[in-house]
Amino acid sequence: MENKKENFSEWYNEIVEISGLSDKRYPVKGMNVWLPYGMKIMREIDRIIRETVEVRGIEEVNFPVLITRDQLSVEFEHVKGFENQVYWVTKGGNDKLDVEMALRPTSEAAMYGMFALWIRSHTDLPLRIYQIVNVYRYETKHTRSFIRVREIHFFEAHTAHATFEESENQLLDYLEIWKKVSSELCIPYIVNKRPEWDKFPGAMYTLAGDTLVGGRSLQVATMHEYGTNFSKNYNITYLKDDGTHDYVNQTTFGMSERLLAAVIGIHGDDKGLILPPSIASVQVIIIIIPSENPEVKVYAHKVERMLREIGIRASIDDRDNYTPGFKYNEWEMKGVPLRIEIGEKEFIKNTVTFALRPTREKRTVPVEKISETLTILDEIKTILTNRAEEYMKNSIHELNDINEIAEVNGFLKVGWCGRKECSDKLEEKFGLGNLGIPYESNEKKKCIVCSKPGSIAVFSHSF
Amino acid sequence: MENKKENFSEWYNEIVEISGLSDKRYPVKGMNVWLPYGMKIMREIDRIIRETVEVRGIEEVNFPVLITRDQLSVEFEHVKGFENQVYWVTKGGNDKLDVEMALRPTSEAAMYGMFALWIRSHTDLPLRIYQIVNVYRYETKHTRSFIRVREIHFFEAHTAHATFEESENQLLDYLEIWKKVSSELCIPYIVNKRPEWDKFPGAMYTLAGDTLVGGRSLQVATMHEYGTNFSKNYNITYLKDDGTHDYVNQTTFGMSERLLAAVIGIHGDDKGLILPPSIASVQVIIIIIPSENPEVKVYAHKVERMLREIGIRASIDDRDNYTPGFKYNEWEMKGVPLRIEIGEKEFIKNTVTFALRPTREKRTVPVEKISETLTILDEIKTILTNRAEEYMKNSIHELNDINEIAEVNGFLKVGWCGRKECSDKLEEKFGLGNLGIPYESNEKKKCIVCSKPGSIAVFSHSF
């Protein structure tokens, strides 16, 4: 297997392939096939997202994939931002369509005409919906599984509020949702306010959750404040108590299959995937050490039942034609967080032997304490979180001198005057992208390029 | 509200709208917006499907929506069957694409090139996968929510087997799956083997589950035996034990959002929707009869908790600004199968009062027997099933004389010689479609058109 530290890209591609997450041999470039194992993990991620947003009253909807050119053209900045990466449907059967239609690159243009029909008075507000759908981007850049693809598994929440203040509060709620989702996936992050030129097309401003994968930043969540930018164009108004009409204030929140990319890239090692317990479709794999005694197998199945009864996704690998060693390797490669080994010894002593995937540590526990498996799974979550946070902490470098830049990787915190030309210089010279100002930071610092007064900003090599 | 018996079409459209299932005002004809309530119900239907197929080892995948013209053209009958109803993507950004790509109308052409890569030897068989995705058909016929739309929420299972016998057994397993799914939805059906000219394009033969909605047949499940028709074209072979290669035998199984259409059309009444308990997002709605005594509300919330603890999806409608009567109507319209009324009387006597949606029967039960709610939900399932089966039984007419045809509706069982021209005559004269021969029927009967020897076939007006 490839070496993660030395050849991150090759290691990543290999792990996606051998662990059976996705197959990129599909004949359309950048459109990959989700294989059963990848689907199962993504379903668990979606489940966590659904549970987290629905408990807050954000409800699921599903809008059509096709957006007419008219719908898309309503907001100028928005259409300008996407028109070069939209797939167009122009024919139905053998007929040329009267109206060309885009495959949604995102759903503002699909939704907001309907918002104008749905929202009449302040009692219809807030309107808060989400959908989990595929979106389409005609990417010209190099594609990479789960990170840059042309068909993207996508979560998008859209809200409308009476006042700007309420929409600002919605963004705070998104940050809470993101905190919860990322914590289940053991993904550390920083939130940055993107520079003007890199905000979402049509937004007032954009906050992004950025994590670090293989030394490069990966944008895994974005939250946008639209204010009335869209509602003015889509004419989404509500009747106020005083009888006048006003435009609604809107926000959105997006996440995607990049969450899976982050899980692979952050936690995996040279033995394969490592899955946080919350999203592992098999949380505990039980492997039977071959024995003459038929009771061992019976005992293993009893343990499986006990685990399932306490809500753990446990499975037994009882294939006869593979050695335990082969099975260990296979399930380690697939990232199952916890293994239980059961052989003659365990059967006789009424114990089970655990092997923790992240540390490979082994532990033997009496079977009557099997419910401790839950604690061990929590412990694994903590190990993954701590390890990832440690890595990220060590990859944040605060620099004062432009000559130090070439030597380091990760998130570079440097002074920046706020002008695009200084940012561009760092990009040209070092290939660094400007992720913006850390959220709620007001640290002042001289610009590392021009030495004028500025603020701390975060730069990095990005996916 | 419209009258179901007299104006089925208008009644159906009204119910879809007022119960908040879907909004058809989206600017692309035949592409509707799934609203939160409709989504919740469809998600429950999908959950039942997933559970039923996965327990049989059929695994979920997800293939791209775009299919190149080359992929689609591999099987001649198949492309011929779909080419007039395919949406074509021809542009990416401002570029004309080198290869035109179809939005999948179904996924044979997307999948089978990959099957050829995945299947090497008999140990790779059987291959059994499914996906739940949207498919696209450029329909020229009149569209109707959930019944005939251009973006279809679709389940499709695809399997590959070493022998024809095994693929035939797979079809039997599909029938078992269908039996389970339809029973959870309380949908009665007959299985018909479609006539040659109406089988799935490329199939050897097609079995369909047909139900009856508003006097007309609705195809709600299809199972196809492909034999080696596709594998020969997509070159899907496996290495046999004897060292030679052979083509795999394939099958598919399809269901769609028409399941929801059937639920609406079969169970609904002039008060609104009626949902089978298995797919109701709210199974029990608790309505508090206003009282001066604050303990009544506390008691109602206690009952809600008790219900949730035994796994029932219960909710309380504790809005203060609506009367109980208004709430009864609203939740009846939304089809919640069971209502609990709690007022001063119930609080004092430690009881709850049930109202069963299908029969509107009321029943008072001591709160310590609250677990009987499960039994009552089962009872509601039985009521819906029996009522639907009764309706269907009464709508099956075995006719011997062509002159009787104009007088009846439903499924008409008549003798048919097997020739298309006799079938066409019934279509021209009475607008009747030929659903084919009832599965496993070998009843002989003279053709109702030409009097030549034939078999019993089923004809109906169809959606």
Side-chain angles (χ1 to χ4, degrees), chain A residues 284 307 338-341 352-356 360-365 369-370 372-373 376:
Chain A
V284 177
L307 290 170
L338 188 58
R339 178 174 78 228
I340 288 181
E341 301 164 9
V352 298
T353 298
F354 290 105
L356 284 66
R360 313 189 71 202
E361 181 211 338
K362 289 206 183 188
R363 235 180 257 180
T364 298
V365 169
K369 292 196 173 171
I370 193 74
E372 279 184 17
T373 312
I376 299 179

Side-chain angles (χ1 to χ4, degrees), chain A residues 23-28 31-37 39-40 43 50 54 59-69 71 83-97 100-101 103-104 109-111 114 117-118 129-130 134 136 138 140 151, chain B residues 23-28 31-37 39-40 43 50 54 59-69 71 83-97 100-101 103-104 109-111 114 117-118 129-130 134 136 138 140 151:
Chain A
D23 192 326
K24 60 182 180 191
R25 291 173 294 174
Y26 191 78
V28 180
M31 297 204 175
N32 305 331
V33 179
W34 286 85
L35 298 175
Y37 196 58
M39 265 316 271
K40 284 191 186 114
R43 267 161 46 169
R50 282 195 168 93
E54 291 190 1
E59 294 192 299
E60 187 169 9
V61 297
N62 194 274
F63 274 73
V65 73
L66 293 185
I67 302 176
T68 66
R69 197 180 272 278
Q71 285 173 283
E83 64 185 353
N84 287 329
Q85 44 178 321
V86 161
Y87 284 101
W88 290 101
V89 174
T90 63
K91 290 198 296 184
N94 297 312
D95 307 338
K96 193 171 171 305
L97 296 176
E100 294 192 352
M101 294 186 289
L103 295 191
R104 65 175 157 241
M111 290 181 172
M114 300 303 288
L117 298 174
W118 294 345
I129 58 171
Y130 78 93
N134 287 344
Y136 299 89
Y138 181 60
T140 46
E151 179 174 51
Chain B
D23 193 326
K24 60 182 181 192
R25 292 173 294 173
Y26 190 79
V28 180
M31 297 205 175
N32 305 330
V33 179
W34 286 84
L35 299 175
Y37 197 57
M39 266 316 272
K40 285 190 185 114
R43 266 160 45 170
R50 282 195 168 95
E54 291 189 1
E59 293 192 299
E60 188 169 9
V61 296
N62 194 274
F63 274 73
V65 73
L66 293 184
I67 302 175
T68 65
R69 196 181 274 279
Q71 285 174 283
E83 64 184 353
N84 287 329
Q85 45 179 323
V86 161
Y87 285 101
W88 290 101
V89 174
T90 63
K91 290 198 298 184
N94 297 311
D95 307 337
K96 195 171 170 304
L97 296 176
E100 295 192 352
M101 295 185 287
L103 295 191
R104 65 176 156 239
M111 290 180 172
M114 300 303 289
L117 297 174
W118 294 344
I129 58 169
Y130 78 94
N134 287 344
Y136 299 88
Y138 181 60
T140 45
E151 180 174 51

Side-chain angles (χ1 to χ4, degrees), chain B residues 75 108 112 157-174 192-194 196 199-208 222-231 247-254 439:
Chain B
E75 212 286 334
E108 281 75 8
Y112 296 168
H158 294 252
T159 69
H161 308 266
T163 66
F164 182 67
E165 195 192 343
E166 285 169 47
S167 69
E168 288 284 275
N169 284 335
Q170 183 60 53
L171 256 68
L172 297 179
D173 201 38
Y174 289 157
N192 295 304
K193 185 176 175 182
R194 290 280 185 265
E196 269 300 295
K199 67 185 187 185
F200 184 82
M204 281 178 66
Y205 68 85
T206 289
L207 301 180
T222 51
M223 291 143 250
H224 312 290
E225 172 62 74
Y226 292 165
T228 56
N229 289 358
F230 282 89
S231 62
Y247 293 109
V248 299
N249 289 271
Q250 291 178 270
T251 76
T252 59
F253 178 23
Y439 180 65

Side-chain angles (χ1 to χ4, degrees), chain B residues 21 34 37-53 130 132 146 153 155 178 180-182 184-185 187 220 255-264 275-281 313:
Chain B
L21 300 179
W34 286 84
Y37 197 57
M39 266 316 272
K40 285 190 185 114
I41 300 168
M42 198 66 225
R43 266 160 45 170
E44 295 296 336
I45 297 176
D46 288 343
R47 177 186 54 74
I48 290 168
I49 293 174
R50 282 195 168 95
E51 287 172 7
T52 312
V53 304
Y130 78 94
I132 295 180
F146 311 127
H153 184 80
F155 160 89
W178 170 237
K180 166 79 174 150
V181 170
S182 58
E184 290 296 328
L185 307 185
I187 297 176
V220 274
M255 295 183 280
S256 76
E257 61 187 81
R258 280 191 167 189
L259 292 172
L260 176 54
V263 163
I264 301 166
L275 295 173
S278 62
I279 61 165
S281 64
R313 296 188 287 271

Side-chain angles (χ1 to χ4, degrees), chain B residues 290-316:
Chain B
S291 158
E292 298 291 301
N293 185 346
E295 290 294 313
V296 172
K297 217 168 189 169
V298 176
Y299 177 65
H301 280 277
K302 192 183 94 182
V303 171
E304 185 193 31
R305 269 197 313 279
M306 292 169 90
L307 290 170
R308 289 190 175 182
E309 271 163 18
I310 53 171
I312 291 173
R313 296 188 287 271
S315 267
I316 265 190

